[in-house]
């Protein structure tokens, strides 16, 4: 017998969920491609992509097939036993990137936690236990465990939880001189997002990224790229580092990796990986066959010319619609980002209208995100239909009109 379906609504959220989120007033119940329906049957165009996660839209047939097939075969083994989907996915990730070794986890924060621990451990083993300084950036976001939130560059997210992990220094993003002023022989790693996501959709400049690589080489520090949001095709390349002509030492990815099934990965080189040994780090679920089977199906589709090229043409469609809107309302101070990670920064006189715009957008039937302060973020499916982009931007324009004409 099927379990009883309790009647639940948005009000139930306030009664049973820890109040660390404030979700929209509607509750999505179904998705297909870039369309979503709520409890009332109202339809939305999804420009949020579950925060850059559902890179192939909702319920992509190939992902559903992989999930069903693996779901009827083997769900979980733990890492006491390895499994075929994990081995296949790791083989494909290493073949497609700079990396030779993969550690699987379940969230972006966990992949970053592993990366930061590896950077510290490597420095301690190869150099000195005092080589522990991590250089990170203002407005960076690396997750919500105490270590990752402390490396992140927004103290309001890490304050109030007691003593923080030590020896982490924050400097302004895209400011190479600021990094030069703090880097020294005690630095084990520089941690950076090639495109700051939560911080406001700000790409690193090529000079900055190349300068960081040089400084890491000079001081024998590791360059750790957090591609949890920018990775897996989001930028129009499989990983955003490919734009910069630099190779990282450690890279983390998550969000789009499983297309909506929770999974993350930390990639590194053979040499760096060689300092680790059984028992030094671990996870129960990481590399779970179900997650890896879905991620393998997602990678097979995303890592193709057709999808990666399509990202750039779709970006152009978004940007030109945003420019039209700007021509009409003089709304944006900047339209930025890379690929289908797009930030539209509201002019300062409109910054206070953000929540009105998001609410009006939901009312018109389009799902959007914000990033940083005053930035509207678009992180849709990488294969969103051009007709869905057009319809969603029409709805967004109507929402803007309602708010600004009021
Ligand atoms: C979302 C995000 C994280 C955290 O990922 P979780 O899966 O929420 O733990 C870390 N880094 C970046 C750049 C992100 O965008």
């Amino acid at each position: 017998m099927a379990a009883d379906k309790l009647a639940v609504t948005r009000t139930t959220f306030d009664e049973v969920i820890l109040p660390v989120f404030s979700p929209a007033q509607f509750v999505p119940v179904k998705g297909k491609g870039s369309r979503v329906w709520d409890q009332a049957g109202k339809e939305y165009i999804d420009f949020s992509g579950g925060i850059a996660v559902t890179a192939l839209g909702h319920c992509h047939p190939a992902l559903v097939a992989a999930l069903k097939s693996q779901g009827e075969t083997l769900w979980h083994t733990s890492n006491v036993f390895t499994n075929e989907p994990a081995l296949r996915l790791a083989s494909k990730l290493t073949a497609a990137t700079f990396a030779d070794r993969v550690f699987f986890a379940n969230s972006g924060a966990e992949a970053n936690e592993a990366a930061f621990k590896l950077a510290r451990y490597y420095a301690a083993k190869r150099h000195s236990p005092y080589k522990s300084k991590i250089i990170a950036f203002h407005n960076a976001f690396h997750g919500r465990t105490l270590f990752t939130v402390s490396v992140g560059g927004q103290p309001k997210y890490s304050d109030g939880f007691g003593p923080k992990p030590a020896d982490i220094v924050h400097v302004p993003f895209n400011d190479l001189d600021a990094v030069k002023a703090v880097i020294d022989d005690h630095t084990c790693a520089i941690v950076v997002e090639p495109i700051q996501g939560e911080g406001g959709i700000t790409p690193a400049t090529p000079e900055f990224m190349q300068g960081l690589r040089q400084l890491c080489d000079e001081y024998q520090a590791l360059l750790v790229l957090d591609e949890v949001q920018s990775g897996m095709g989001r930028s129009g390349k499989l990983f955003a580092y490919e734009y910069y002509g630099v190779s990282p030492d450690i890279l983390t990815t998550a969000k789009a990796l499983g297309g909506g099934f929770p999974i993350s990965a930390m990639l590194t080189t053979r040499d760096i990986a060689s300092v680790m040994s059984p028992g030094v780090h671990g996870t129960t679920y990481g590399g779970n066959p179900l997650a890896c089977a879905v991620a393998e199906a997602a990678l097979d589709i995303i890592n193709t010319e057709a999808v990666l090229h399509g990202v750039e043409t779709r970006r152009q469609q978004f940007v030109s619609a945003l420019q039209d809107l700007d021509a009409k309302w003089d709304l944006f101070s900047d339209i930025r980002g890379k690929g289908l990670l797009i930030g539209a920064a509201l002019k300062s006189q409109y910054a206070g209208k953000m929540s009105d715009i998001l609410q009006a957008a939901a009312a018109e039937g389009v799902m959007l995100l914000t990033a940083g302060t005053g930035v509207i973020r678009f992180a849709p499916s990488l294969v969103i239909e051009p007709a869905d982009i057009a319809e969603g931007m029409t709805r967004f324009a109507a929402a803007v009109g309602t708010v600004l004409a009021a």
Side-chain angles (χ1 to χ4, degrees):
M1 199 182 84
D4 261 356
K5 279 224 173 154
L6 206 59
V8 290
T9 65
R10 174 60 179 80
T11 308
T12 318
F13 178 93
D14 301 322
E15 295 161 357
V16 298
I17 303 289
L18 192 77
V20 294
F21 308 105
S22 76
Q25 289 306 311
F26 63 94
V27 179
V29 295
K30 188 179 127 164
K32 185 75 199 138
S34 288
R35 307 246 169 176
V36 167
W37 291 266
D38 71 10
Q39 287 182 312
K42 181 178 155 95
E43 178 229 58
Y44 300 80
I45 305 239
D46 188 0
F47 286 167
S48 71
I51 318 189
V53 167
T54 46
L56 296 172
H58 296 277
C59 300
H60 188 287
L63 272 55
V64 172
L67 183 63
K68 277 190 176 157
S69 148
Q70 190 61 41
E72 288 167 350
T73 308
L74 184 68
W75 285 28
H76 179 77
T77 58
S78 87
N79 286 296
V80 175
F81 312 94
T82 190
N83 68 80
E84 290 181 350
L87 297 173
R88 278 199 302 266
L89 178 61
S91 301
K92 289 181 178 180
L93 284 170
T94 53
T97 64
F98 74 97
D100 318 300
R101 296 289 183 270
V102 181
F103 173 78
F104 289 118
N106 314 288
S107 66
E110 281 174 86
N112 282 331
E113 182 86 18
F116 306 162
K117 284 180 71 179
L118 174 58
R120 286 253 174 101
Y121 200 76
Y122 177 82
K125 286 250 154 177
R126 285 288 167 85
H127 300 288
S128 132
Y130 302 105
K131 192 173 173 63
S132 58
K133 185 197 280 187
I134 292 175
I135 299 175
F137 298 94
H138 295 162
N139 293 319
F141 185 78
H142 301 298
R144 299 292 198 143
T145 65
L146 194 54
F147 194 0
T148 57
V149 86
S150 302
V151 175
Q154 293 212 57
K156 68 170 187 216
Y157 292 148
S158 55
D159 289 345
F161 299 102
K164 300 177 193 179
D167 214 9
I168 302 165
V169 182
H170 295 95
V171 295
F173 185 64
N174 272 338
D175 184 343
L176 204 55
D177 287 335
V179 180
K180 286 181 186 156
V182 297
I183 196 166
D184 57 20
D185 289 333
H186 297 303
T187 303
C188 70
I190 298 177
V191 176
V192 65
E193 296 159 87
I195 307 165
Q196 280 198 339
E198 303 307 307
I201 318 297
T202 313
T205 64
E207 308 76 57
F208 182 63
M209 196 58 96
Q210 286 152 14
L212 294 182
R213 177 70 273 175
Q214 277 169 12
L215 287 171
C216 282
D217 293 343
E218 199 173 323
Y219 290 91
Q220 297 184 296
L222 301 183
L223 181 60
V224 179
L225 295 189
D226 179 346
E227 294 226 33
V228 167
Q229 187 156 170
S230 62
M232 293 308 295
R234 179 67 40 198
S235 71
K237 305 257 189 207
L238 187 61
F239 290 103
Y241 77 83
E242 299 168 40
Y243 278 106
Y244 293 94
V246 303
S247 190
D249 298 299
I250 299 176
L251 178 148
T252 56
T253 188
K255 293 198 164 86
L257 181 60
F261 201 99
I263 177 171
S264 64
M266 177 194 72
L267 313 183
T268 190
T269 63
R270 184 180 296 109
D271 171 55
I272 295 166
S274 72
V275 300
M276 300 307 260
S277 54
V280 172
H281 189 61
T283 161
T284 298
Y285 287 129
N288 167 295
L290 262 186
C292 290
V294 178
E296 185 192 359
L299 176 63
D300 283 346
I301 298 172
I302 290 172
N303 195 22
T304 57
E305 281 297 300
V307 170
L308 296 176
H309 267 147
V311 167
E312 197 47 44
T313 49
R314 286 166 174 79
R315 176 187 178 80
Q316 286 314 320
Q317 194 183 344
F318 272 101
V319 168
S320 80
L322 288 168
Q323 284 165 343
D324 290 349
L325 205 58
D326 191 44
K328 180 152 182 211
W329 296 102
D330 194 25
L331 190 58
F332 303 124
S333 59
D334 196 13
I335 297 169
R336 59 185 185 237
K338 269 192 178 8
L340 284 173
L341 189 54
I342 301 167
L346 294 175
K347 287 211 155 143
S348 55
Q349 64 266 36
Y350 297 122
K353 300 264 187 205
M354 181 64 95
S355 74
D356 292 347
I357 292 175
L358 288 192
Q359 262 185 36
E364 292 291 339
V366 58
M367 295 157 80
L368 292 169
L369 302 167
T370 61
T373 35
V375 180
I376 300 174
R377 168 171 39 169
F378 299 80
S381 158
L382 306 183
V383 295
I384 184 171
E385 296 291 340
D388 288 345
I389 302 177
E391 173 63 22
M393 289 309 291
T394 301
R395 295 180 188 183
F396 178 54
V400 167
T402 312
V403 172
L404 297 195

